[in-house]
Amino acid sequence: MSDHAHPATGQPIGALVDGRPAKPPGPVTLSGRYGRVEKLTSAHAVTLWNAVKDDDTMWTYMSQYGPFADAGEFSNWVAQRATLKDPYSYAVVDAANRALGIATLMEIHPDMRVIEVGHIVYSPALQRTALTTEAQYLLARYVFETLGYRRYEWKCNSHNAASQRAALRYGFIFEGVLRQHKIAKGRNRDTAYFSMLDNEWPVRKRNFERWLSADNFEADGKQKVSLSKLNGVIE
């Protein structure tokens, strides 16, 4: 992408970039057809705990927390997360008004206009539903179109195959693996990096909206065209 020449030396350099900073994420409610994404609060803890309490597998690749012993420990964690500015946590709420998951915007660098989506907790009731995809669409649209970021990152443990498949399905591009990147819960973590850029968003947005449209689903809820196919991912 360094396809410009330095005006004095002729050396290859990057293109000029609008230097205005992006905005930090805030307490918005992002609504869709299947549910909504809203600022995480302590009030979400009860329905979240009911949704996640019977499945410890979702915490395996979290670097610092989970699983939780009981509702009290989990509620304390939610209350603490809700106060943080980075990561900035959102609840994923279904049409029945149940908080079934969490996603955060994190590693927030407004001056560089770089932000990451991560710390994703999707309960069994949320997994493999249209709302999981819609939540990612709503957050990406917010990041690019409202907040003004130019790079949107997705990172995960290199052993987390499901997260890597999800990143590609959503339209993120795999960039590589940082070896021995972290020590997570006492274990080595190599981290897989993915990204989506602002100039890629219009196509990704169109693919999200095509997949989420009512006419992409049969009467029984089965998809007609997969998002992976729309984003050119080999299934």
Side-chain angles (χ1 to χ4, degrees), residues 13 64 142:
I13 54 175
Q64 301 174 15
Y142 178 56

Side-chain angles (χ1 to χ4, degrees), residues 111-133:
D111 288 349
M112 295 295 104
R113 290 164 53 200
V114 176
I115 196 168
E116 176 185 349
V117 60
H119 292 191
I120 296 169
V121 178
Y122 280 173
S123 69
L126 186 57
Q127 294 168 16
R128 297 184 180 277
T129 67
L131 180 54
T132 62
T133 299

Side-chain angles (χ1 to χ4, degrees), residues 34-36 47 93-100 131:
Y34 301 99
R36 66 185 187 274
T47 54
V93 183
D94 72 0
N97 209 37
R98 301 175 300 166
L100 299 178
L131 180 54

Side-chain angles (χ1 to χ4, degrees), residues 6 31 37 49 53 91-92 97 124 137 166 169 181 219 223:
H6 190 283
S31 299
V37 174
W49 174 247
K53 65 182 180 180
V92 180
N97 209 37
Y137 160 71
R169 177 176 175 268
H181 182 225
Q223 65 181 0

Side-chain angles (χ1 to χ4, degrees), residues 148-178:
Y149 286 86
R150 63 193 296 262
R151 174 179 168 88
Y152 192 36
E153 296 181 332
W154 179 293
K155 304 169 191 167
C156 62
N157 190 307
S158 64
H159 290 296
N160 192 345
S163 182
Q164 294 192 59
R165 287 194 299 270
L168 295 172
R169 177 176 175 268
Y170 295 141
F172 289 83
I173 302 299
F174 176 64
E175 295 182 327
V177 175
L178 271 63

Side-chain angles (χ1 to χ4, degrees), residues 88-109:
Y88 198 96
S89 300
Y90 294 91
V92 180
V93 183
D94 72 0
N97 209 37
R98 301 175 300 166
L100 299 178
I102 299 171
T104 77
L105 296 177
M106 54 187 284
E107 297 293 333
I108 303 165
H109 302 286

